[in-house]
Amino acid sequence: MSLNKAHRQLLLRVALSSIQHGLQTGKPLAVNLIEYPAELTEQRATFVTLQKNGQLRGCIGMLEAVRPLVQDIAENAFSAAFRDPRFPPLEVDELEGLEIHLSLLTPAEPMIFSSEQDLLLQLQPGIDGLILEEGYRRGTFLPSVWESLPEPRQFLRHLKQKAGLPAGYWSENIRIYRYRTEMIG
């Protein structure tokens, strides 16, 4: 799963180029797959996180692999900069000092647990990304969220709220999926 340094740097350049292209044209960078090595054209799910002065400035991604990796990075970088509904579209003067972080996801695997306590005991802080599903409600936290929510119970409570459920909610119908990420940037 791990990419070499040259491929990691290339993906960061694609993300930045897509944001710059978006500032000029209002569209994400079009990626010609034949210009990239095979490792970067495999279907992968990614998230692109933007930070400015240590603060979140945008984060958009996909939980399922639906596009080639390099294309997913270009699309998600554009969307993180211009389509994250929590923030206004990025302005040209914000490019200076903008930090770009890429998260390449492994396929999500269902977790088997008998209770909320059993689930909490299985969680690996700093390693696990989680997807929580209950009916039509869904939320995810990347492994990087453990930095601000390091305790498993707190992490799960906030994830429930992100999915639109009360923090103390529990049901036998909750489904949890675990994934890992390769971080770049």
Side-chain angles (χ1 to χ4, degrees):
M1 174 177 139
S2 189
L3 297 176
N4 68 37
K5 186 175 181 178
H7 290 160
R8 295 163 69 93
Q9 292 302 316
L10 183 54
L11 289 176
L12 284 169
R13 284 196 303 276
V14 166
L16 178 59
S17 295
S18 191
I19 293 168
Q20 291 169 328
H21 188 75
L23 285 167
Q24 296 166 353
T25 68
K27 297 176 184 167
L29 181 69
V31 173
N32 184 351
L33 296 177
I34 55 176
E35 296 175 2
Y36 294 91
E39 297 90 340
L40 303 185
T41 62
E42 295 174 7
Q43 287 204 345
R44 295 283 301 272
T46 71
F47 273 76
V48 175
T49 303
L50 306 177
Q51 290 185 315
K52 183 75 176 174
N53 302 320
Q55 299 295 312
L56 182 66
R57 181 57 182 87
C59 182
I60 298 285
M62 305 284 279
L63 292 170
E64 291 90 24
V66 296
R67 297 184 282 231
L69 172 57
V70 68
Q71 184 182 5
D72 207 54
I73 292 293
E75 295 284 340
N76 290 338
F78 175 85
S79 293
F82 305 107
R83 294 184 178 149
D84 188 327
R86 300 169 292 182
F87 302 96
L90 192 81
E91 301 284 339
V92 173
D93 63 343
E94 293 180 277
L95 267 183
E96 177 89 25
L98 185 70
E99 293 178 40
I100 301 172
H101 302 279
L102 311 178
S103 300
L104 313 184
L105 281 61
T106 62
E109 297 179 356
M111 293 185 69
I112 308 298
F113 48 88
S114 58
S115 65
E116 184 172 23
Q117 187 59 33
D118 182 27
L119 171 64
L120 291 170
L121 291 172
Q122 293 182 47
L123 297 182
Q124 300 173 75
I127 297 172
D128 291 338
L130 294 183
I131 302 166
L132 180 147
E133 292 180 351
E134 166 69 29
Y136 63 90
R137 297 181 187 276
R138 185 179 195 192
T140 190
F141 276 159
L142 293 169
S144 58
V145 175
W146 288 103
E147 293 169 19
S148 57
L149 298 169
E151 198 277 312
R153 186 171 304 280
Q154 180 187 32
F155 187 91
L156 184 59
R157 291 175 68 85
H158 282 268
L159 180 56
K160 289 179 200 175
Q161 290 175 313
K162 184 176 183 188
L165 299 166
Y169 180 86
W170 187 254
S171 157
E172 298 301 317
N173 297 322
I174 284 181
R175 291 186 313 278
I176 304 286
Y177 301 85
R178 177 188 348 227
Y179 59 89
R180 304 243 166 100
T181 58
E182 177 181 350
M183 298 296 298
I184 301 172

